[in-house]
Amino acid sequence: MKYLYLSAAVAPLLLATAAHAQAKDEGAKANAEAVFSTGVAKGRDRLDSATSTSALRESEIEVLGARSLGEVLRNIPGIRAEYAVGEGNNNYSIRGLPLSGTGSKYVQFQEDGLPVLEFGDMYQLGVDMFMRGDLNLSAIETIRGGSASTFASNSPGGVINLISKTGTTEGGAVQATYGLNYGEKRVEGDYGYKINDTLRMHIGGFYRQGEGPRDVGFTAYKGGQIKANITKTFDNGYVRLNAKYLDDRTPVYQFVPIRVTGTNADPTFTGPANLDPKTDSLLSPYVSNVVTLDRDNNIANDDLRGGQHAVVKSIGLDAQFDVGGWTITEKFRVADIGGSNLTIRPIAVAPAATLAVTYGGVGGQLSYATGPLAGQVIASPAALNGNGLLTNALQLDTKIKSLDNATNDIRASRVWEVGGGNLTTTVGFYKSSQDYSTYLSFLNVLSSVAGDGETTLINVTNAAGVPFTQDGYLAYGLGNTFHRSYDMNYGVDAPYASVNYHIGKIAVGGSLRYDMGKVKGTLFGAELGGGRVGQTSFDINRNGTISTAETKVAVLPLGQPGRVDYDYNYLSYSAGVNYRVAEQLAVFGRYSRGGRASADKILFTPAVNYNTGKLVDNDSAYDTVKQAELGLKYRAGGVTFNVTGFSARTGERNAQIVSGADGTASVLNIVRGYKAKGVELEAGVRHGPFSVTAGATYTDAKISSDATNAAIVGNTPRHQADFIYAVTPQVDLKYATLGVNVIGTTSSYAQDSNLLKLPAYTLVNAFVQVRPTERVQLMLNVNNLFDKLALSDVEQGSIPASGVVLGRAYLGRSASATLRYTF
């Protein structure tokens, strides 16, 4: 969830006393700042590496006042995080790389150096859905551009790596978090223990339950996570076994109707009567019942209150040994991943009286299909819920049969003394197998617009009383679209190598990676074409009569599967030079080319011949990103300053965008080029008890080409603001810490047409920590202190005649208290 999780997830994991935290952090901070290991061959001082990196340690994460992974990452320069959806399926990008679809297409999310999923933008199933921050988290390391493209597959934009505690520090903590103005309770704890001089362990986790920070009328959050590891050290290395079990349900906050006045260039957004975009959604107990045909074309029922249900069971191995002058590193993990993703998503909004005529003709009547007034006629549609609005909406029902994956990364590095300098050589091989076996069904319903969890489904009848809907359903499907079954496997083999020569103040290096992919599987769905039919008549309620809605029932053409069987390969490379001007100062330059496999986004498109399984155009299997960087890094005493100029060109050959802006939930397949240039800044200053950290990114991004829509060439990509920033001043006193985390963005365009603007915003998040004793801490977090309306995205590209758009807003003011005991 968005505003709810770091006080329950990562934020309070750092609630230590000021004396304890400062003594612990200051000693470790030099090492934390100096050594960086993600996306590079060997961990090294950041001032000796030609890369743009950031690392957030425990205490730094806490003071952000964030309660979700997205809210943490919004504070890292260069990263654009859109986290209004909730706990998962949010959008992430880096340095102006496009958000043409959803998820994290160009960014790889890792836990302890291995990807959680091979692809970060699987349809309806973003990678952050299967990750949680809690007291197990030691740090978050990120690398933007640079060597990320050659030390991880499918990561040309960068890598975000969540690093777990491993028991190096004995002891632990327990804590409880309570939502002060929203319904959620959370408990968590962790413990590290040195069993003997060569054996240590760490275990931790959380459990939470409640309605959450938006009013939905039911328990939307329920579940938790437990993680554990045990490490055996030897004279020349270590072996670590780790395990994770996650079973957690969270809601999915989709678009809601929002009124807009003014002009496209200077709009004013407000919530309609009886619905606050900052605290409400269209989720409610009265829209939750789902009736569909399953992947075997049998009647099935589901419940939208299940939301995003993530179930992950994984075990892994992490080992490193020095052998004959070489450092051998082995990482392996196998994960069993299942669950579901259910929600309601409006695709059009209009006055209720208008839709009564649209669907029921002149004299058409509306009535409540669900809720306390079910069956009652709506006498005055214009007064419905005080706003007179209805939505044509979709119930989104996605089931996960298997997202199981197995991943292995082995590498060998050696440092040679050559010509008075050190030559570091690395060779490695990465191998993974990623299942993608899912079923999705989109059901078309008519729903009211009401806050406080009161949204209901609506029926329509004509003047003669003949129903156009059945139990609120306009259709048990969406024509021949979005009723699909996937049974896929993606195999990746990737050898890679790097060299880095460091002599005196200069370090020069380069790296290569060659990704070889094998994609194989079977698809079912009418969208594959070839005469496949995806809609039929079916007696859903088994009353012996076929209603109008029952003539539009989505089915899978099980006798006409689509075959997928193709290979792809691409080369990634990166080269850079770093010059350490002085002990405190370094400059660097780097050029990189990376690739990203298209994965499921080219399925159900003309890119594949579904009779042979082969690609129609082999180039459509992957997209490319070319980047140049020029940076400066300074670190002295209590001052840190990093600035990086960047330029990026992205080529998307067959990207798939799903849009509901036209009221039909259409799919667009685009072939498009993008270019972006800009500057990212990261700075920190500490003087006595006072400190300030800040990050900012300026981006000038353009659509450089488009195969089907020349009119948008030269426009700014949707949602791309010129300037995003985060500033956190704080004061650390003996018994208390207090401060604010300020994040903001300049305006951006809602869509690529560059008409309707999303307004700039600044959100202030305040935090206070009080430590009455060495082991006890109380923390108060208030997010969006001034309760500002800040929009994440809007479906429409311009203001419609109705003056109502579909948009998502970040959460309004929310406050939580956390009590922690450290032992």
Side-chain angles (χ1 to χ4, degrees):
M1 163 92 258
K2 136 179 155 248
Y3 280 86
L4 167 61
Y5 285 3
L6 262 202
S7 133
V10 175
L13 53 91
L14 319 170
L15 313 180
T17 67
H20 175 73
Q22 196 159 355
K24 179 179 174 184
D25 279 358
E26 302 243 276
K29 188 139 177 143
N31 290 333
E33 289 183 323
V35 178
F36 192 91
S37 59
T38 297
V40 295
K42 287 178 70 71
R44 60 171 65 99
D45 190 325
R46 293 173 65 187
L47 266 65
D48 285 326
S49 178
T51 56
S52 182
T53 60
S54 297
L56 292 175
R57 309 296 163 177
E58 285 186 302
S59 55
E60 296 169 305
I61 296 171
E62 175 188 5
V63 300
L64 297 177
R67 300 177 186 176
S68 73
L69 184 57
E71 288 191 343
V72 177
L73 298 177
R74 70 186 178 184
N75 288 273
I76 299 176
I79 294 180
R80 181 156 51 113
E82 297 178 358
Y83 49 87
V85 176
E87 183 76 11
N89 278 299
N90 292 297
N91 301 329
Y92 304 90
S93 189
I94 287 182
R95 289 181 175 174
L97 298 186
L99 280 173
S100 54
T102 57
S104 56
K105 180 173 182 177
Y106 297 106
V107 186
Q108 187 186 90
F109 279 80
Q110 296 183 345
E111 287 184 332
D112 299 317
L114 289 177
V116 176
L117 293 178
E118 188 61 55
F119 308 101
D121 64 338
M122 290 179 170
Y123 194 59
Q124 295 286 102
L125 303 168
V127 64
D128 60 343
M129 177 178 167
F130 306 99
M131 307 173 70
R132 299 289 185 272
D134 58 18
L135 286 176
N136 292 288
L137 186 60
S138 171
I140 298 176
E141 291 188 346
T142 66
I143 184 166
R144 281 95 62 193
S147 60
S149 59
T150 55
F151 278 87
S153 292
N154 301 303
S155 61
V159 172
I160 298 170
N161 187 18
L162 276 63
I163 300 174
S164 302
K165 296 177 183 178
T166 62
T168 53
T169 300
E170 286 196 286
V174 292
Q175 67 184 39
T177 300
Y178 182 77
L180 298 178
N181 66 338
Y182 61 90
E184 183 174 351
K185 300 175 182 177
R186 174 171 176 142
V187 294
E188 59 188 304
D190 81 309
Y191 182 63
Y193 179 64
K194 293 184 178 179
I195 301 170
N196 57 44
D197 290 342
T198 63
L199 192 64
R200 67 180 190 271
M201 56 78 69
H202 186 272
I203 187 170
F206 75 91
Y207 183 83
R208 46 93 182 278
Q209 183 170 325
E211 181 180 15
R214 291 187 186 269
D215 298 322
V216 296
F218 59 89
T219 299
Y221 289 83
K222 187 174 184 179
Q225 171 178 266
I226 186 167
K227 296 175 71 175
N229 59 67
I230 186 167
T231 304
K232 173 69 174 178
T233 59
F234 303 88
D235 292 339
N236 63 336
Y238 69 88
V239 174
R240 178 175 302 125
L241 298 176
N242 53 68
K244 166 183 169 178
Y245 178 64
L246 169 68
D247 188 345
D248 195 25
R249 294 178 184 267
T250 63
V252 185
Y253 300 129
Q254 282 289 355
F255 297 86
V256 298
I258 301 175
R259 294 196 182 276
V260 55
T261 57
T263 65
N264 285 323
D266 186 21
T268 298
F269 294 89
T270 57
N274 199 33
L275 188 139
D276 186 342
K278 303 190 303 295
T279 58
D280 288 320
S281 79
L282 294 188
L283 290 171
S284 88
Y286 311 124
V287 300
S288 61
N289 186 50
V290 179
V291 184
T292 184
L293 299 188
D294 63 17
R295 64 194 306 164
D296 296 316
N297 288 333
N298 296 317
I299 293 179
N301 291 84
D302 218 323
D303 195 322
L304 295 186
R305 287 175 290 189
Q308 292 182 135
H309 184 198
V311 182
V312 181
K313 294 169 279 188
S314 69
I315 56 173
L317 168 73
D318 185 355
Q320 181 173 297
F321 287 95
D322 294 324
V323 181
W326 291 85
T327 298
I328 311 297
T329 303
E330 159 70 2
K331 292 181 181 291
F332 169 78
R333 181 166 61 225
V334 59
D336 181 329
I337 302 177
S340 58
N341 185 2
L342 301 101
T343 191
I344 186 168
R345 183 194 197 279
I347 56 175
V349 58
T354 300
L355 290 185
V357 175
T358 299
Y359 297 121
V362 177
Q365 280 194 328
L366 304 179
S367 62
Y368 293 97
T370 59
L373 302 178
Q376 181 174 313
V377 173
I378 300 171
S380 178
L384 179 62
N385 291 315
N387 53 54
L389 296 176
L390 286 183
T391 70
N392 182 329
L394 302 178
Q395 290 180 328
L396 309 182
D397 185 357
T398 303
K399 295 290 196 309
I400 305 171
K401 182 179 180 182
S402 174
L403 289 181
D404 300 354
N405 60 64
T407 309
N408 194 85
D409 193 334
I410 186 168
R411 69 180 65 170
S413 298
R414 182 164 182 170
V415 180
W416 315 78
E417 293 185 7
V418 178
N422 293 328
L423 177 68
T424 302
T425 58
T426 299
V427 294
F429 189 83
Y430 172 84
K431 186 175 183 65
S432 74
S433 174
Q434 173 70 64
D435 284 352
Y436 181 58
S437 181
T438 66
Y439 159 79
L440 65 87
S441 183
F442 288 6
L443 294 311
N444 197 192
V445 297
L446 194 63
S447 77
S448 66
V449 176
D452 297 325
E454 297 293 332
T455 301
T456 62
L457 297 185
I458 302 296
N459 277 327
V460 182
T461 60
N462 66 17
V466 178
F468 186 82
T469 58
Q470 179 171 294
D471 301 325
Y473 282 85
L474 293 164
Y476 293 91
L478 199 63
N480 283 330
T481 62
F482 296 108
H483 192 73
R484 305 172 177 175
S485 176
Y486 302 78
D487 193 0
M488 303 293 300
N489 179 263
Y490 294 84
V492 178
D493 293 293
Y496 59 93
S498 74
V499 294
N500 184 275
Y501 185 61
H502 188 185
I503 182 169
K505 296 182 177 182
I506 298 177
V508 180
S511 52
L512 296 169
R513 186 184 190 92
Y514 191 67
D515 277 86
M516 299 171 286
K518 175 67 175 178
V519 183
K520 195 168 185 177
T522 303
L523 306 175
F524 292 95
E527 292 160 289
L528 298 177
R532 295 172 175 86
V533 177
Q535 183 172 289
T536 188
S537 295
F538 197 101
D539 188 6
I540 292 289
N541 63 4
R542 301 181 187 276
N543 68 351
T545 301
I546 301 295
S547 66
T548 300
E550 289 176 329
T551 64
K552 296 172 284 187
V553 179
V555 296
L556 292 176
L558 297 179
Q560 298 173 286
R563 180 184 179 192
V564 181
D565 186 1
Y566 68 86
D567 301 329
Y568 67 87
N569 54 73
Y570 61 84
L571 176 69
S572 301
Y573 56 82
S574 183
V577 58
N578 191 86
Y579 179 64
R580 191 145 185 178
V581 180
E583 180 65 24
Q584 311 95 325
L585 179 66
V587 293
F588 75 92
R590 177 171 289 276
Y591 182 80
S592 310
R593 177 191 187 269
R596 199 282 184 188
S598 298
D600 66 310
K601 289 301 188 294
I602 62 172
L603 303 179
F604 291 95
T605 77
V608 180
N609 181 325
Y610 297 103
N611 293 318
T612 65
K614 304 304 180 185
L615 292 172
V616 175
D617 177 3
N618 288 333
D619 286 342
S620 65
Y622 63 93
D623 300 324
T624 57
V625 178
K626 297 179 180 178
Q627 300 173 86
E629 305 165 70
L630 186 64
L632 178 147
K633 303 177 184 181
Y634 177 80
R635 185 180 72 223
V639 178
T640 300
F641 180 81
N642 303 318
V643 59
T644 304
F646 60 86
S647 175
R649 288 185 175 271
T650 305
E652 294 191 323
R653 293 181 175 91
N654 206 322
Q656 186 177 108
I657 302 175
V658 179
S659 173
D662 61 356
T664 61
S666 59
V667 177
L668 304 176
N669 297 305
I670 64 172
V671 178
R672 187 178 293 175
Y674 300 85
K675 60 182 180 181
K677 57 185 177 181
V679 179
E680 67 179 34
L681 170 69
E682 182 178 23
V685 178
R686 175 178 290 276
H687 181 72
F690 302 98
S691 66
V692 178
T693 59
T697 307
Y698 170 78
T699 306
D700 178 13
K702 301 295 181 186
I703 298 172
S704 57
S705 65
D706 190 285
T708 59
N709 188 3
I712 65 172
V713 174
N715 286 0
T716 301
R718 64 185 185 133
H719 306 178
Q720 179 62 66
D722 289 342
F723 191 65
I724 59 176
Y725 58 90
V727 182
T728 306
Q730 71 181 79
V731 180
D732 293 304
L733 305 174
K734 183 176 181 180
Y735 295 107
T737 297
L738 63 156
V740 294
N741 168 235
V742 181
I743 63 105
T745 175
T746 56
S747 64
S748 62
Y749 288 107
Q751 298 298 332
D752 294 328
S753 56
N754 282 192
L755 296 174
L756 178 60
K757 278 195 169 183
L758 301 179
Y761 63 82
T762 298
L763 301 180
V764 178
N765 311 301
F767 59 91
V768 177
Q769 301 170 358
V770 179
R771 296 172 289 273
T773 70
E774 182 179 356
R775 296 184 180 276
V776 176
Q777 178 162 321
L778 175 65
M779 183 170 76
L780 173 67
N781 274 356
V782 182
N783 288 282
N784 196 355
L785 179 64
F786 300 110
D787 201 32
K788 297 291 186 180
L789 176 63
L791 296 182
S792 166
D793 47 352
V794 167
E795 281 281 79
Q796 285 72 17
S798 62
I799 299 177
S802 65
V804 182
V805 296
L806 295 172
R808 274 190 290 236
Y810 294 114
L811 189 66
R813 183 188 299 115
S814 63
S816 66
T818 299
L819 179 64
R820 175 174 177 174
Y821 178 75
T822 304
F823 55 91

